[in-house]
Amino acid sequence: MLLALANWIASDVRTFNVFGYITLRAVLATMTALVISFLVGPRMIRKLTQYNIGQSVRDDGPQSHLIKAGTPTMGGALILVSIIITTLLWADLRNRFVWVVLLVMAGFGAIGWIDDYRKVVHRNPRGLSAREKILWQSLIGLIAAVYLAFSVSAPSTAQFLQMFIAWLSSGFNLDLPPKADLIVPFFKTVSYPLGVWGFIVLSYCVIVGTSNAVNLTDGLDGLAIMPTVMIGAALGIFSYVTGRADFSSYLFLPHIPGAGELTVICGAIAGAGLGFLWFNAYPAEVFMGDVGALALGAALGAIAIIVRQEIVLFVMGGVFVVETPIHHHYELKGWKENQVVVRFWIITMLLVLFGLSTLKLR
């Protein structure tokens, strides 16, 4: 919205052309999402407390967690509100990739909202059944995967439709261009053709898998959100590079026209995440809940697919992959909760830097 306004004013006042730069809008998006979180956060926490929307704590984990019972949850809605408003303000809303990520994030957020609502408001400990949850996740994930298979391959919506129709007419037998191949980090020319079906299966697994991995990691104060911030920021760099023909050619990465605009969403994710961390840091005033964790994981997965960095996402999100079954293990060994969280933040930072090194080390 603000970009469209700036472009309109720029016809008379050239100074406003500066808002056409993705890097500036990404910085502004980060700041905007952070401010929105600071402004809305306290009021949302009061409302959640007022309506007695509190977290239930399992009694088979560390006993120190029992004091967290009743802490407001579903705070992930604050993150989503901040990201969506910020993206609508600063992103180019004509960009198809922006809408894909927003819709995937909103869809998975809706699943998480229903699950949380049933748990904390209806006092149904099961929430959504595992079958219901995976069904709706699979539906959204598959729709997004099919769209991205052709959207990543085609530089425009018109060519996307042509390619999709050609796939249907060919009896679902169509090769995708090299830019849709699975890229192997640290090698300049090593990639594996996936084909349409391979791309769809991989994309589905990345979106649904990352969503659930972030959700399962969200078990300690601040543990899930800070890695999300760091990985989101790193994916913003990949988005910017992939969206520019000169940078992507120099770094031996596929050029995906329009992918650069995702840098703005990544900035919004980082800003909203940092704003939420203000309230979620130990001892947490509010928990993210499924509404935030499922949505953020799905958004990261969708962005990684668009910029063709699925393997790098797996590396940078290593904590999401391996942390789930072991963070309570370290608490039971005597580590304090904040020690576990901060040490896994440090590990994530190292993994993110390792992932970023793949930009040049090829």
Side-chain angles (χ1 to χ4, degrees):
M1 296 178 183
L2 292 180
L3 175 61
L5 178 62
N7 288 337
W8 178 67
I9 298 176
S11 59
D12 297 314
V13 184
R14 294 183 61 186
T15 304
F16 282 83
N17 284 324
V18 70
F19 291 102
Y21 290 97
I22 292 175
T23 49
L24 174 62
R25 287 188 285 113
V27 172
L28 293 174
T30 304
M31 297 170 60
T32 302
L34 188 61
V35 170
I36 292 174
S37 298
F38 284 159
L39 294 177
V40 178
R43 179 174 298 181
M44 178 174 289
I45 292 172
R46 286 196 298 271
K47 287 294 183 182
L48 292 173
T49 303
Q50 177 183 338
Y51 291 117
N52 197 29
I53 301 179
Q55 176 73 31
S56 59
V57 178
R58 293 169 54 178
D59 57 9
D60 57 349
Q63 295 301 300
S64 59
H65 286 202
L66 296 178
I67 62 174
K68 299 183 180 184
T71 301
T73 189
M74 300 176 72
L78 169 64
I79 305 174
L80 300 191
V81 168
S82 300
I83 294 173
I84 291 172
I85 292 176
T86 298
T87 301
L88 293 177
L89 287 175
W90 291 115
D92 184 353
L93 301 183
R94 298 167 298 178
N95 186 288
R96 52 197 171 139
F97 294 131
V98 168
W99 286 106
V100 171
V101 174
L102 283 182
L103 291 173
V104 167
M105 184 177 67
F108 276 76
I111 296 171
W113 175 273
I114 295 171
D115 189 41
D116 286 337
Y117 191 84
R118 289 186 182 181
K119 288 177 181 176
V120 301
V121 176
H122 291 170
R123 304 300 176 187
N124 178 1
R126 294 178 66 246
L128 276 174
S129 67
R131 180 177 297 181
E132 289 178 300
K133 188 180 292 187
I134 196 65
L135 172 64
W136 289 110
Q137 288 177 338
S138 296
L139 179 62
I140 298 172
L142 284 173
I143 292 174
V146 171
Y147 178 80
L148 290 176
F150 301 100
S151 186
V152 165
S153 304
S156 67
T157 301
Q159 290 180 314
F160 156 79
L161 291 173
Q162 293 175 0
M163 186 173 292
F164 181 71
I165 293 172
W167 179 58
L168 296 177
S169 303
S170 67
F172 307 104
N173 183 22
L174 182 71
D175 291 330
L176 294 177
K179 67 172 64 179
D181 293 352
L182 177 63
I183 297 174
V184 179
F186 298 113
F187 295 92
K188 291 181 180 179
T189 58
V190 178
S191 61
Y192 292 97
L194 295 170
V196 175
W197 289 112
F199 190 104
I200 291 173
V201 171
L202 176 64
S203 299
Y204 165 82
C205 292
V206 170
I207 293 173
V208 175
T210 308
S211 175
N212 285 293
V214 174
N215 188 38
L216 291 172
T217 304
D218 185 32
L220 300 177
D221 298 353
L223 180 57
I225 192 60
M226 193 59 188
T228 298
V229 168
M230 289 188 280
I231 295 169
L235 286 175
I237 296 174
F238 279 103
S239 299
Y240 184 71
V241 170
T242 305
R244 291 196 46 157
D246 50 353
F247 288 172
S248 58
S249 175
Y250 173 69
L251 295 171
F252 296 95
L253 293 173
H255 172 52
I256 311 294
E261 200 64 29
L262 295 179
T263 310
V264 178
I265 293 186
C266 291
I269 291 174
L274 290 173
F276 180 75
L277 182 62
W278 184 272
F279 307 103
N280 184 239
Y282 181 86
E285 299 177 54
V286 64
F287 295 139
M288 188 189 305
D290 287 9
V291 60
L294 290 178
L296 289 173
L300 293 179
I303 294 170
I305 292 165
I306 294 169
V307 300
R308 312 306 307 127
Q309 297 298 327
E310 297 93 340
I311 295 179
V312 171
L313 173 65
F314 182 83
V315 172
M316 295 192 299
V319 166
F320 294 146
V321 177
V322 304
E323 187 278 338
T324 301
I326 63 175
H327 69 259
H328 288 324
H329 167 75
Y330 286 109
E331 284 188 281
L332 294 173
K333 284 185 63 176
W335 288 20
K336 300 297 184 182
E337 178 174 345
N338 54 343
Q339 286 181 310
V340 178
V341 171
V342 172
R343 287 170 182 174
F344 278 117
W345 286 357
I346 295 172
I347 292 172
T348 298
M349 184 177 296
L350 292 174
L351 292 174
V352 166
L353 292 174
F354 183 71
L356 286 173
S357 71
T358 65
L359 280 169
K360 185 60 178 175
L361 299 179
R362 290 179 176 274

